[in-house]
Amino acid sequence: MALIEASSPHVMNTYARVPIALSHGQGVRVWDVNGKQYLDALGGIAVNTLGHNHPRLVPALQDQIGKIIHSSNYYHVPGQEQLAAKLVELSGMTNVFFCSTGLEANEAALKLARKFGHDKGIERPEIVVYEKAFHGRSIATLSATGNEKVQKGFGPLVEGFVRVPVNDIEALKAATEGNQNVVAVFFETIQGEGGVNPMRIEYLKQVRELCDARDWLLMIDEVQCGMGRTGKWFAHQWAGILPDVMPLAKGLGSGVPIGAVVAGPKAATIFQPGNHGTTFGGNPLAMRAGIETIRIMEEDGLLENAARVGSHLKGALARELGGLKGVKEIRGQGLMLGIELDKPCNALTARAAQAGLLISVTADSVIRLVPPLIMNEAEADELVALLAPLVRAHLDE
Ligand SMILES: Cc1ncc(COP(=O)(O)O)c(C=O)c1O
């Protein structure tokens, strides 16, 4: 039996890790190095769209690895054109820049917003961001993030952000009133790390109108809630609006690192040669992963599956846990659900793992469920059967 050290002598100590190490997976199940099985309701934090060892994704990636893994953005990469065309079709937007992670996609968005301002003569552009937002851990994206724990120790923060509460159009108007430097509004349609907090449909429409009226870019971080997780390709599509800039990452490559910033007409030509770049972004392996992920999602109806199984799961959670004193709210959409308790519950991630279930806790008191989009109803029932007793026991403590 392989023991997992509580801390590693060589890997930097940046995570409070659950003391298990995964060895392999199949569908929505994974096994650790000791052979113990888990139901995966975390999906590598909303990354493993197609679950593990998918029978059509794996051979496609093997085929690609045998051809070419990486070339360079010095040359054309045909896969970029193919994946960009698909993202344009799905989003209704027009152009894509590829990178490798969510924070890079968000950095690109922030740079787009600033250059959008500079191009129209605004020398100190400001971007509206939100309380409880999470956009990444680079200096700029952690400055945009609305969480002091993420920012602590890394000052001075990047300037040029105006922070507002979610779902409050009057607060947004008040915070920006008379400010000619504002160039963009930037938020997650459903905040992930902040505790699974959805933006209301009405609010999304109001912000779109305000951005149009004021000539601001509407930039929507769909890194976590996008790529089919809520039952539409992108969560903002529930409101029938179009953003000007949309960062993506996580689920787009089903586990192969990939990021993308998708732009509409207002932002598509802001970057010109020399303005932005990356070594790894858009490499042939990542592009193949994105192309095949979307192809399989379409072939297998995974948007519909996420919506159906998500509402089944939400219903089952509501029946098992909804009435309990101590459960404040069960919220979210599709396969992005949060169960907010009235007290911290970080201990539940390790206890759930012990019970054979992978979950995470965000914002200290919100159990987050972001399983692979291939999960079926029986597996969702199994998830609830594993989780509910742990939540009850925790609330009784
Ligand atoms: C909404 C959102 N944006 C950005 C990021 C950062 O992505 P990455 O960890 O790939 O840099 C995350 C990661 O959790 C996220 O949830």
Side-chain angles (χ1 to χ4, degrees), residues 101-103 106 134-136 188 193 221 223-224 250:
T101 65
L103 84 79
N106 285 337
F134 183 84
H135 297 297
E188 305 149 78
E193 303 306 303
D221 178 349
V223 166
Q224 188 163 152
K250 287 193 182 277

Side-chain angles (χ1 to χ4, degrees), residues 162-243:
V162 177
R163 197 167 302 281
V164 299
V166 300
N167 288 322
D168 185 342
I169 195 72
E170 294 311 322
L172 171 56
K173 285 181 183 162
T176 54
E177 195 176 345
N179 184 345
Q180 301 300 324
N181 289 332
V182 175
V183 290
V185 178
F186 184 38
F187 58 74
E188 305 149 78
T189 317
I190 304 177
Q191 292 181 333
E193 303 306 303
V196 190
N197 307 312
M199 295 286 180
R200 282 198 295 272
I201 296 227
E202 192 50 33
Y203 182 75
L204 292 169
K205 291 182 180 161
Q206 288 168 331
V207 179
R208 176 69 273 180
E209 276 173 26
L210 194 65
C211 286
D212 288 340
R214 308 261 170 100
D215 193 30
W216 299 338
L217 295 177
L218 176 56
M219 310 206 299
I220 306 191
D221 178 349
E222 293 259 353
V223 166
Q224 188 163 152
C225 59
M227 290 316 298
R229 183 150 292 283
T230 65
K232 291 216 187 263
W233 283 106
F234 308 109
H236 67 263
Q237 290 175 333
W238 289 101
I241 58 163
L242 266 180

Side-chain angles (χ1 to χ4, degrees), residues 12 68 70 73 110 128 132 143 195 199-200 214 228 236 290 292 294 319 339 381:
M12 275 197 203
I68 188 163
H70 177 83
N73 283 310
L110 297 173
V128 176
K132 296 190 187 168
S143 301
M199 295 286 180
R200 282 198 295 272
R214 308 261 170 100
H236 67 263
E292 298 297 339
I294 294 174
R319 275 192 303 282
I339 306 156
D381 289 340

Side-chain angles (χ1 to χ4, degrees), residues 268-291:
T269 57
I270 294 173
F271 282 162
Q272 291 298 315
N275 287 146
H276 199 53
T278 159
T279 297
F280 289 118
N283 84 27
L285 178 61
M287 295 303 96
R288 187 73 182 267
I291 292 162

Side-chain angles (χ1 to χ4, degrees), residues 28-29 39 302 305-306 308-310 312-313 335 371-383:
V28 294
R29 293 180 203 280
L39 181 67
L302 292 189
N305 189 71
R308 196 186 62 250
V309 176
H312 178 87
L313 177 58
L335 288 173
L373 304 189
I374 57 167
M375 182 171 266
N376 64 31
E377 272 108 338
E379 290 156 345
D381 289 340
E382 198 183 325
L383 193 173

